[in-house]
Amino acid sequence: SQDLNLTFLFLPWFSPLLLRFWFMTGVFAFHSFLSHFPPALFLAGLILLFLARKRDNPVLGAAASLDFSIGFLMSVMAVFSGLLAEDMGSKTAVLVESHQVYSFLCVALYGLCMVFSYTKANSGTAIFFYLLTFLVLGASVWSGYLLVFFSPA
């Protein structure tokens, strides 16, 4: 809160450019940082689950569950930071809402995968949800890529 008080001292000299810089380096720009963790941790978790099953090593299974847990928490944080993104008004509604739907669905499926990794990691239902989450996560990543690089500004 002391930094916030110092910020108010410089308010007479602020400009829209400086304000935009603060938003892009502040909380609102955190989405681009947080959104890279869930896909990476999910893929690492899948690889560890495969290795745990192949080598019959429960330690690798526990590491996969940890990856899924941290990835789930990061996906929740990425969704909330994405809801606060400051450039949402400049994008088309179809691109924004499709990315939000994929992201919300991804969080729900990620949570299911996390639970399955702790309970029945190698069941047929778990493998189905792992594959479904992988596809939805890919769709979310692709829609986010389109939102950033190919949407009309």
Side-chain angles (χ1 to χ4, degrees), residues 13-136:
W13 297 281
F14 89 95
S15 70
L17 183 62
L18 289 175
L19 193 59
R20 180 170 170 79
F21 176 76
W22 184 83
F23 277 118
M24 293 308 290
T25 58
V27 173
F28 302 107
F30 221 41
H31 180 69
S32 59
F33 172 73
L34 293 174
S35 62
H36 289 84
F37 284 99
L41 288 169
F42 190 79
L43 191 58
L46 286 180
I47 291 170
L48 285 171
L49 276 178
F50 173 75
L51 290 174
R53 184 175 181 176
K54 184 178 179 185
R55 296 181 182 173
D56 196 26
N57 188 345
V59 175
L60 292 176
S65 296
L66 180 65
D67 278 351
F68 283 132
S69 299
I70 295 171
F72 173 70
L73 292 174
M74 293 301 286
S75 66
V76 170
M77 290 173 31
V79 164
F80 282 126
S81 67
L83 291 174
L84 297 174
E86 70 109 38
D87 62 345
M88 295 296 266
S90 65
K91 310 296 182 187
T92 63
V94 172
L95 285 173
V96 172
E97 290 178 9
S98 64
H99 184 59
Q100 287 176 346
V101 167
Y102 288 136
S103 299
F104 288 137
L105 183 59
C106 183
V107 168
L109 291 173
Y110 215 128
L112 282 172
C113 290
M114 178 188 66
V115 170
F116 275 119
S117 73
Y118 282 105
T119 56
K120 295 182 182 262
N122 295 320
S123 69
T125 308
I127 292 171
F128 170 75
F129 278 111
Y130 297 149
L131 292 174
L132 185 63
T133 305
F134 183 76
L135 291 175
V136 172

